Tab-separated table of all heavy atoms in Angstrom:
chain	number	residue	atom	x	y	z
A	185	ASP	N	18.357	-0.359	-2.507
A	185	ASP	CA	19.814	-0.385	-2.618
A	185	ASP	C	20.253	-1.791	-3.068
A	185	ASP	O	19.421	-2.700	-3.202
A	185	ASP	CB	20.481	0.048	-1.302
A	185	ASP	CG	20.151	-0.873	-0.134
A	185	ASP	OD1	19.495	-1.925	-0.342
A	185	ASP	OD2	20.540	-0.540	1.004
A	186	ALA	N	21.545	-1.936	-3.320
A	186	ALA	CA	22.042	-3.212	-3.867
A	186	ALA	C	21.708	-4.366	-2.932
A	186	ALA	O	21.318	-5.455	-3.374
A	186	ALA	CB	23.551	-3.117	-4.086
A	187	TYR	N	21.809	-4.111	-1.622
A	187	TYR	CA	21.514	-5.162	-0.646
A	187	TYR	C	20.050	-5.587	-0.741
A	187	TYR	O	19.731	-6.771	-0.802
A	187	TYR	CB	21.855	-4.660	0.765
A	187	TYR	CG	21.342	-5.550	1.858
A	187	TYR	CD1	22.051	-6.700	2.211
A	187	TYR	CD2	20.151	-5.264	2.523
A	187	TYR	CE1	21.574	-7.539	3.211
A	187	TYR	CE2	19.667	-6.093	3.519
A	187	TYR	CZ	20.382	-7.232	3.859
A	187	TYR	OH	19.896	-8.046	4.837
A	188	GLY	N	19.156	-4.610	-0.776
A	188	GLY	CA	17.732	-4.906	-0.860
A	188	GLY	C	17.392	-5.680	-2.125
A	188	GLY	O	16.609	-6.640	-2.094
A	189	GLN	N	17.978	-5.270	-3.217
A	189	GLN	CA	17.721	-5.976	-4.482
A	189	GLN	C	18.165	-7.425	-4.385
A	189	GLN	O	17.465	-8.338	-4.844
A	189	GLN	CB	18.467	-5.300	-5.631
A	189	GLN	CG	17.939	-3.911	-5.957
A	189	GLN	CD	18.717	-3.240	-7.078
A	189	GLN	OE1	19.302	-3.889	-7.937
A	189	GLN	NE2	18.723	-1.922	-7.079
A	190	ARG	N	19.333	-7.630	-3.751
A	190	ARG	CA	19.851	-9.000	-3.649
A	190	ARG	C	18.954	-9.844	-2.739
A	190	ARG	O	18.621	-10.985	-3.057
A	190	ARG	CB	21.289	-8.965	-3.114
A	190	ARG	CG	22.055	-10.225	-3.480
A	190	ARG	CD	23.463	-10.212	-2.922
A	190	ARG	NE	23.464	-10.332	-1.481
A	190	ARG	CZ	24.216	-9.590	-0.671
A	190	ARG	NH1	25.018	-8.665	-1.159
A	190	ARG	NH2	24.154	-9.776	0.641
A	191	VAL	N	18.568	-9.259	-1.622
A	191	VAL	CA	17.716	-9.994	-0.681
A	191	VAL	C	16.402	-10.399	-1.350
A	191	VAL	O	15.948	-11.535	-1.222
A	191	VAL	CB	17.440	-9.128	0.568
A	191	VAL	CG1	16.297	-9.687	1.389
A	191	VAL	CG2	18.696	-9.025	1.408
A	192	LEU	N	15.811	-9.480	-2.091
A	192	LEU	CA	14.544	-9.810	-2.753
A	192	LEU	C	14.755	-10.946	-3.749
A	192	LEU	O	13.955	-11.883	-3.824
A	192	LEU	CB	13.961	-8.576	-3.445
A	192	LEU	CG	13.341	-7.553	-2.485
A	192	LEU	CD1	13.019	-6.255	-3.216
A	192	LEU	CD2	12.074	-8.115	-1.844
A	193	ARG	N	15.846	-10.872	-4.510
A	193	ARG	CA	16.098	-11.938	-5.496
A	193	ARG	C	16.305	-13.279	-4.809
A	193	ARG	O	15.886	-14.319	-5.302
A	193	ARG	CB	17.317	-11.591	-6.366
A	193	ARG	CG	17.013	-10.518	-7.419
A	193	ARG	CD	18.109	-10.477	-8.484
A	193	ARG	NE	19.419	-10.208	-7.899
A	193	ARG	CZ	19.957	-8.992	-7.767
A	193	ARG	NH1	19.298	-7.930	-8.188
A	193	ARG	NH2	21.141	-8.846	-7.233
A	194	GLU	N	16.935	-13.237	-3.633
A	194	GLU	CA	17.190	-14.495	-2.927
A	194	GLU	C	15.939	-15.051	-2.265
A	194	GLU	O	15.773	-16.259	-2.144
A	194	GLU	CB	18.284	-14.286	-1.869
A	194	GLU	CG	19.668	-14.329	-2.465
A	194	GLU	CD	20.737	-13.832	-1.494
A	194	GLU	OE1	20.421	-13.670	-0.288
A	194	GLU	OE2	21.873	-13.597	-1.952
A	195	MET	N	15.078	-14.168	-1.804
A	195	MET	CA	13.959	-14.637	-0.967
A	195	MET	C	12.672	-14.902	-1.725
A	195	MET	O	11.819	-15.628	-1.233
A	195	MET	CB	13.662	-13.613	0.128
A	195	MET	CG	14.878	-13.206	0.891
A	195	MET	SD	14.903	-13.698	2.588
A	195	MET	CE	13.265	-14.053	2.954
A	196	VAL	N	12.494	-14.265	-2.867
A	196	VAL	CA	11.229	-14.444	-3.589
A	196	VAL	C	11.498	-15.270	-4.844
A	196	VAL	O	12.178	-14.804	-5.766
A	196	VAL	CB	10.608	-13.081	-3.972
A	196	VAL	CG1	9.260	-13.281	-4.634
A	196	VAL	CG2	10.488	-12.181	-2.746
A	197	PRO	N	10.989	-16.502	-4.885
A	197	PRO	CA	11.315	-17.407	-5.996
A	197	PRO	C	10.949	-16.846	-7.376
A	197	PRO	O	11.723	-16.972	-8.311
A	197	PRO	CB	10.499	-18.667	-5.690
A	197	PRO	CG	10.208	-18.604	-4.227
A	197	PRO	CD	10.201	-17.162	-3.837
A	198	GLU	N	9.780	-16.225	-7.479
A	198	GLU	CA	9.340	-15.695	-8.776
A	198	GLU	C	9.245	-14.192	-8.671
A	198	GLU	O	8.256	-13.655	-8.160
A	198	GLU	CB	7.943	-16.239	-9.111
A	198	GLU	CG	7.927	-17.613	-9.709
A	198	GLU	CD	8.319	-17.579	-11.182
A	198	GLU	OE1	7.731	-16.796	-11.958
A	198	GLU	OE2	9.235	-18.338	-11.539
A	199	LEU	N	10.288	-13.499	-9.121
A	199	LEU	CA	10.318	-12.058	-8.964
A	199	LEU	C	10.215	-11.398	-10.341
A	199	LEU	O	11.046	-11.632	-11.208
A	199	LEU	CB	11.630	-11.677	-8.269
A	199	LEU	CG	11.725	-10.320	-7.628
A	199	LEU	CD1	10.621	-10.061	-6.614
A	199	LEU	CD2	13.090	-10.185	-6.939
A	200	ILE	N	9.180	-10.576	-10.510
A	200	ILE	CA	8.939	-9.933	-11.805
A	200	ILE	C	9.479	-8.502	-11.744
A	200	ILE	O	9.139	-7.745	-10.829
A	200	ILE	CB	7.420	-9.879	-12.106
A	200	ILE	CG1	6.825	-11.285	-12.094
A	200	ILE	CG2	7.158	-9.157	-13.426
A	200	ILE	CD1	5.294	-11.301	-12.132
A	201	GLU	N	10.321	-8.139	-12.709
A	201	GLU	CA	10.875	-6.778	-12.748
A	201	GLU	C	9.935	-5.845	-13.485
A	201	GLU	O	9.514	-6.141	-14.595
A	201	GLU	CB	12.218	-6.776	-13.473
A	201	GLU	CG	13.379	-6.983	-12.542
A	201	GLU	CD	14.712	-6.669	-13.193
A	201	GLU	OE1	14.799	-5.699	-13.970
A	201	GLU	OE2	15.670	-7.418	-12.897
A	202	VAL	N	9.666	-4.721	-12.874
A	202	VAL	CA	8.820	-3.709	-13.506
A	202	VAL	C	9.743	-2.668	-14.143
A	202	VAL	O	10.758	-2.286	-13.551
A	202	VAL	CB	7.894	-3.078	-12.436
A	202	VAL	CG1	7.185	-1.847	-12.968
A	202	VAL	CG2	6.880	-4.113	-11.953
A	203	VAL	N	9.416	-2.230	-15.367
A	203	VAL	CA	10.256	-1.233	-16.047
A	203	VAL	C	9.912	0.175	-15.540
A	203	VAL	O	8.814	0.411	-15.024
A	203	VAL	CB	10.072	-1.284	-17.585
A	203	VAL	CG1	10.564	-2.620	-18.133
A	203	VAL	CG2	8.623	-1.030	-17.975
A	204	GLU	N	10.855	1.089	-15.723
A	204	GLU	CA	10.706	2.435	-15.159
A	204	GLU	C	9.399	3.113	-15.587
A	204	GLU	O	8.684	3.695	-14.773
A	204	GLU	CB	11.895	3.308	-15.561
A	204	GLU	CG	11.784	4.690	-14.918
A	204	GLU	CD	12.851	5.679	-15.378
A	204	GLU	OE1	13.715	5.305	-16.190
A	204	GLU	OE2	12.787	6.831	-14.920
A	205	GLU	N	9.104	3.016	-16.873
A	205	GLU	CA	7.921	3.692	-17.397
A	205	GLU	C	6.645	3.243	-16.669
A	205	GLU	O	5.753	4.041	-16.397
A	205	GLU	CB	7.830	3.347	-18.881
A	205	GLU	CG	6.985	4.274	-19.674
A	205	GLU	CD	6.733	3.722	-21.077
A	205	GLU	OE1	7.449	2.790	-21.501
A	205	GLU	OE2	5.802	4.225	-21.702
A	206	GLU	N	6.577	1.957	-16.362
A	206	GLU	CA	5.382	1.443	-15.673
A	206	GLU	C	5.465	1.648	-14.165
A	206	GLU	O	4.438	1.853	-13.512
A	206	GLU	CB	5.169	-0.033	-16.051
A	206	GLU	CG	4.882	-0.186	-17.531
A	206	GLU	CD	4.415	-1.566	-17.952
A	206	GLU	OE1	4.182	-2.436	-17.078
A	206	GLU	OE2	4.282	-1.776	-19.171
A	207	ALA	N	6.682	1.626	-13.634
A	207	ALA	CA	6.831	1.916	-12.196
A	207	ALA	C	6.303	3.316	-11.913
A	207	ALA	O	5.618	3.557	-10.920
A	207	ALA	CB	8.292	1.793	-11.782
A	208	ARG	N	6.587	4.245	-12.839
A	208	ARG	CA	6.107	5.627	-12.677
A	208	ARG	C	4.590	5.713	-12.766
A	208	ARG	O	3.992	6.665	-12.299
A	208	ARG	CB	6.764	6.545	-13.712
A	208	ARG	CG	8.105	7.055	-13.253
A	208	ARG	CD	8.565	8.268	-14.062
A	208	ARG	NE	9.406	7.841	-15.172
A	208	ARG	CZ	9.063	7.945	-16.455
A	208	ARG	NH1	7.905	8.467	-16.806
A	208	ARG	NH2	9.899	7.543	-17.381
A	209	ARG	N	3.982	4.729	-13.400
A	209	ARG	CA	2.513	4.675	-13.419
A	209	ARG	C	1.977	3.805	-12.284
A	209	ARG	O	0.845	3.333	-12.339
A	209	ARG	CB	2.025	4.134	-14.752
A	209	ARG	CG	2.315	5.078	-15.878
A	209	ARG	CD	1.453	4.790	-17.085
A	209	ARG	NE	2.056	5.448	-18.221
A	209	ARG	CZ	2.766	4.822	-19.174
A	209	ARG	NH1	2.884	3.503	-19.160
A	209	ARG	NH2	3.311	5.505	-20.134
A	210	PHE	N	2.831	3.517	-11.331
A	210	PHE	CA	2.431	2.785	-10.129
A	210	PHE	C	2.014	1.347	-10.419
A	210	PHE	O	1.101	0.814	-9.797
A	210	PHE	CB	1.313	3.539	-9.382
A	210	PHE	CG	1.846	4.673	-8.539
A	210	PHE	CD1	2.259	5.860	-9.119
A	210	PHE	CD2	1.977	4.536	-7.169
A	210	PHE	CE1	2.785	6.900	-8.355
A	210	PHE	CE2	2.496	5.572	-6.393
A	210	PHE	CZ	2.894	6.750	-6.988
A	211	ALA	N	2.720	0.714	-11.377
A	211	ALA	CA	2.445	-0.692	-11.693
A	211	ALA	C	2.555	-1.560	-10.435
A	211	ALA	O	1.768	-2.496	-10.241
A	211	ALA	CB	3.417	-1.197	-12.756
A	212	CYS	N	3.536	-1.254	-9.583
A	212	CYS	CA	3.741	-2.089	-8.380
A	212	CYS	C	2.637	-1.870	-7.353
A	212	CYS	O	2.493	-2.671	-6.432
A	212	CYS	CB	5.082	-1.771	-7.739
A	212	CYS	SG	6.490	-2.159	-8.793
A	213	ASN	N	1.880	-0.818	-7.505
A	213	ASN	CA	0.835	-0.493	-6.524
A	213	ASN	C	-0.473	-1.182	-6.924
A	213	ASN	O	-1.496	-0.552	-7.145
A	213	ASN	CB	0.678	1.035	-6.455
A	213	ASN	CG	0.053	1.505	-5.174
A	213	ASN	OD1	-1.055	2.028	-5.167
A	213	ASN	ND2	0.728	1.306	-4.063
A	214	ALA	N	-0.398	-2.502	-7.008
A	214	ALA	CA	-1.508	-3.305	-7.511
A	214	ALA	C	-2.317	-3.906	-6.370
A	214	ALA	O	-1.765	-4.227	-5.314
A	214	ALA	CB	-0.960	-4.424	-8.387
A	215	VAL	N	-3.608	-4.064	-6.595
A	215	VAL	CA	-4.455	-4.764	-5.624
A	215	VAL	C	-4.648	-6.197	-6.128
A	215	VAL	O	-5.018	-6.397	-7.281
A	215	VAL	CB	-5.838	-4.104	-5.476
A	215	VAL	CG1	-6.628	-4.779	-4.346
A	215	VAL	CG2	-5.695	-2.623	-5.187
A	216	VAL	N	-4.387	-7.144	-5.239
A	216	VAL	CA	-4.517	-8.550	-5.602
A	216	VAL	C	-5.716	-9.130	-4.874
A	216	VAL	O	-5.791	-9.076	-3.643
A	216	VAL	CB	-3.234	-9.325	-5.197
A	216	VAL	CG1	-3.316	-10.772	-5.673
A	216	VAL	CG2	-1.991	-8.650	-5.761
Side-chain angles (χ1 to χ4, degrees):
D185 62 6
Y187 169 81
Q189 293 178 27
R190 202 182 69 225
V191 165
L192 285 170
R193 285 195 302 267
E194 279 168 12
M195 309 246 342
V196 184
E198 278 283 308
L199 198 55
I200 302 170
E201 269 193 39
V202 169
V203 295
E204 183 186 359
E205 199 191 344
E206 296 190 6
R208 275 197 266 113
R209 293 199 197 103
F210 280 76
C212 297
N213 202 246
V215 186
V216 185

